[in-house]
Amino acid sequence: MERIETPILVVMNVQRGYDYAGYGKRNGMFAEARMKELLSIWRERELPVIHTQFDDPKQSSPLHRTNAGFHFKDGFKPQKNEQHLIYSSYSTFIEQVLTKEQKPIYIFVGFSLFPHIATVSQVLSTSDSHQYIVADATVSFEKISFNNESLSADEVHFAILTSMMNDETTVITSFMAKQLAVSAKNIGKQKTTT
């Protein structure tokens, strides 16, 4: 963790649409509370924050921009000095999130671990960056396996986090994320990449 310079908190897709029944049962009932705690610390220390909203191309999706579910959940609206990115494709996301900062550090929280956070983290792992995935501040949903067995949201969460771990991706807790923010250098240099 000595590598930390200016950790960038990426708050992914904390949108009302994920509360719709169609996504199935979720895990992390306290995940939003953990996200808010981290967001508060990042703001207090004037560290960079990126908020994303997924604009699902399918108009029937709760996450399509014309539907109420597209909007942020209460308490997650970006502030003026924070980057806000709306994306429909991962290529757009990557192009706008990657910074010119040397060896950037990304701290991921939000919805949903798969496919959004896992996909973005995998792509970023090929760049000169490091990703931290906050296990108790990210959310997964139940799924049906390839052999038609039901997997609980916790089982899905554990499996995906395990598969994401590599040299450039580390799984941490929200407590550990707070420590990264507290020990970060370059405090007070909020950055809004474009």
Side-chain angles (χ1 to χ4, degrees), residues 1 4 7-12 27 34-35 38 42 93 105-125 129-140 156-178 180:
M1 293 188 183
I4 291 299
I8 302 167
L9 183 65
V10 183
V11 187
M12 288 198 70
N27 73 330
R34 303 290 86 79
M35 295 177 209
L38 294 177
W42 253 256
F93 182 101
I105 306 297
Y106 299 99
I107 315 290
F108 282 94
V109 302
F111 289 75
S112 60
L113 186 59
F114 182 84
H116 297 286
I117 296 172
T119 301
V120 170
S121 176
Q122 183 179 19
V123 175
L124 287 175
S125 68
S129 64
H130 193 90
Q131 292 71 241
Y132 290 90
I133 313 300
V134 186
D136 58 334
T138 48
V139 176
S140 295
V156 171
H157 202 68
F158 183 83
I160 295 172
L161 287 174
T162 302
S163 69
M164 292 174 69
M165 294 172 60
N166 56 49
D167 291 343
E168 299 302 327
T169 304
T170 305
V171 178
I172 60 174
T173 64
S174 56
F175 176 81
M176 296 168 69
K178 293 174 187 177
L180 294 178

Side-chain angles (χ1 to χ4, degrees), residues 26 47 54 76 85 95 108 112 141 146 152-153 173 181 188 190:
R26 56 168 280 185
L47 291 167
F54 179 58
F76 289 96
L85 170 62
E95 289 172 4
F108 282 94
S112 60
F141 294 89
F146 67 92
S152 71
T173 64
Q190 175 69 280

